Amino acid sequence: MNRKGIFLFLVIISVCFLSGCWSKRELTDLAFISAYSLDLTEEGNYEATVQVINPGNITSGLQGGGGGSSSPPVIVYSTVGENLSDMDALVTKKLSRTPYYAHTDLVVISDELAKKKGLPPILDELDRDIEFRTTTIVVIAKETKAKDLLTTLTGTDRVPAIKIVKTLDATEKSLGENLRVNVHELITQVTSTGKEPVLPGFTLKGDPMQGKTMNNVQSSELEAAPEADGLAMFKEGKLIDWIEGETARGTLWTLDKIKTTTVSMSWEKEKKAIAYKVMRQKTKVSATLTKGKPKIVVSTRAEGDIAEVKVPVDLTDPHVIKKIEKELEKEIKSEIEKAIQQAQKNKSDIFGFGEVVHRTDPKAWKKLEKEWKDRTFAELDVDVKVEALIRRTGLVNNSLHTTLKKEGK
């Protein structure tokens, strides 16, 4: 009897510690936010836009997206306010469901907002929000409203936010001129004294008004589409410049973020005559200090294959291969040096050279830290060393041009 009484007492007590479903939320009561954008109004207020998943239309239509439904897969709502928290509440005046940010894949910030108000006020709210994931990708809307990137319907990927994220992944892996940056990484860079942020840029090609309609995804050629476009350079949390083309790739070389890319070089007065497909690369950045003066060494090693040859070249000759490797080293070195020069001109240490000096000599860094952003980094001596290796020449040894030349055709 005593055992039964003790057991019953424990059961009753344990019930007091069970929370049950007091905080439950039904799926039908939630509005899943796939993307969140911020613009700056003429009055200097924030304009927030949320891209809400329309679940009934996500899987409808043709396989892989593209049409078949009369209504869009997402619905966009905008509101204006003086701070982000206000707008999170104000948007509920237009939504019949509670906004749910745990599945947000993308944050888009307009270049105008990034220039005038900067990143810290935005990141503070995102970091405090318990629903918002710090793995969410952040991009800058270049020469277009951030809202327009969210309202433009896309073809292959029905949800515009997914389209932008996947495009960013694809160009980072293949082109080497863009990179993924999430909220956590961005906060770390903004708060660091030895590294400035760099973010991917996206622009809108075409007519924004046409991009809002279903007609945009019901033709083989889109009237409007988001497109990856350069890297945004920041200083003290504000956008100051854009890095584009080969200079953007030089930035990724230095940051050790190149996955694969194709480097084209001139040969015998022919521009872009040989294409080199980079398969692997490794960049190491080291620092030395002499009498308190820092010097940075950037060492890059690339391995790859010959992807294309437009002129007669004997690829079976080891001396020719060695000569091509030397020219490739010059090309890659030039890209890295251009990127460093642009950063030094803007006095923005986007490469984290300051962090390298800090790790190398913490005591010396304390003396250099105060003037690092305004003077020391801009005058920093940087030595770039590149080693390029050709591992394979593809499925054929010589080019068709070489074969035809030997045959006298």
Side-chain angles (χ1 to χ4, degrees), residues 70-297:
S70 59
S71 57
V74 294
I75 303 173
V76 173
Y77 299 92
S78 296
T79 186
V80 176
E82 296 183 3
N83 60 55
L84 306 190
S85 299
D86 281 346
M87 292 184 295
D88 288 344
L90 289 171
V91 76
T92 58
K93 295 172 68 176
K94 302 180 180 182
L95 274 170
S96 60
R97 303 183 180 188
T98 303
Y100 188 62
Y101 294 93
H103 292 279
T104 304
D105 294 315
L106 180 71
V107 172
V108 185
I109 303 169
S110 72
D111 53 358
E112 184 183 13
L113 176 58
K115 287 177 184 176
K116 294 182 178 180
K117 291 199 173 184
L119 299 175
I122 301 169
L123 295 177
D124 181 84
E125 201 272 346
L126 297 182
D127 195 29
R128 292 176 188 275
D129 194 328
I130 59 173
E131 265 188 11
F132 213 94
R133 294 180 301 167
T134 56
T135 55
T136 301
I137 302 302
V138 184
V139 303
I140 301 296
K142 182 180 180 183
E143 298 175 356
T144 186
K145 290 189 67 175
K147 177 182 178 179
D148 289 340
L149 291 178
L150 268 57
T151 57
T152 300
L153 299 178
T154 53
T156 307
D157 299 291
R158 291 180 59 78
V159 179
I162 296 176
K163 147 72 177 175
I164 292 175
V165 172
K166 285 188 174 181
T167 300
L168 185 59
D169 289 340
T171 186
E172 180 184 21
K173 291 176 182 177
S174 302
L175 186 60
E177 295 181 5
N178 293 88
L179 76 163
R180 284 173 62 113
V181 179
N182 61 41
V183 172
H184 174 73
E185 293 168 335
L186 183 56
I187 292 172
T188 301
Q189 293 174 15
V190 168
T191 55
S192 172
T193 56
K195 191 177 191 304
E196 297 288 355
V198 59
L199 288 173
F202 264 80
T203 190
L204 184 66
K205 299 294 184 181
D207 182 7
M209 297 303 296
Q210 184 66 30
K212 297 178 181 180
T213 67
M214 288 297 293
N215 292 333
N216 192 52
V217 294
Q218 292 175 344
S219 61
S220 59
E221 186 175 359
L222 302 181
E223 294 291 335
E227 184 176 303
D229 190 5
L231 296 171
M233 179 187 294
F234 287 79
K235 183 177 180 181
E236 296 179 351
K238 291 187 176 182
L239 174 63
I240 58 170
D241 200 3
W242 285 96
I243 315 169
E244 300 173 337
E246 293 180 350
T247 306
R249 185 166 62 184
T251 301
L252 265 68
W253 280 114
T254 312
L255 291 171
D256 193 30
K257 295 291 186 179
I258 292 288
K259 295 180 179 179
T260 60
T261 188
T262 302
V263 179
S264 298
M265 54 166 278
S266 301
W267 187 264
E268 294 181 352
K269 298 181 181 180
E270 180 76 22
K271 292 183 178 180
K272 297 187 180 294
I274 300 175
Y276 173 68
K277 181 75 172 180
V278 178
M279 306 305 295
R280 289 176 295 276
Q281 75 87 29
K282 183 64 180 176
T283 297
K284 295 182 179 179
V285 179
S286 58
T288 57
L289 288 97
T290 305
K291 295 181 180 180
K293 185 178 181 180
K295 178 182 179 180
I296 296 293
V297 177

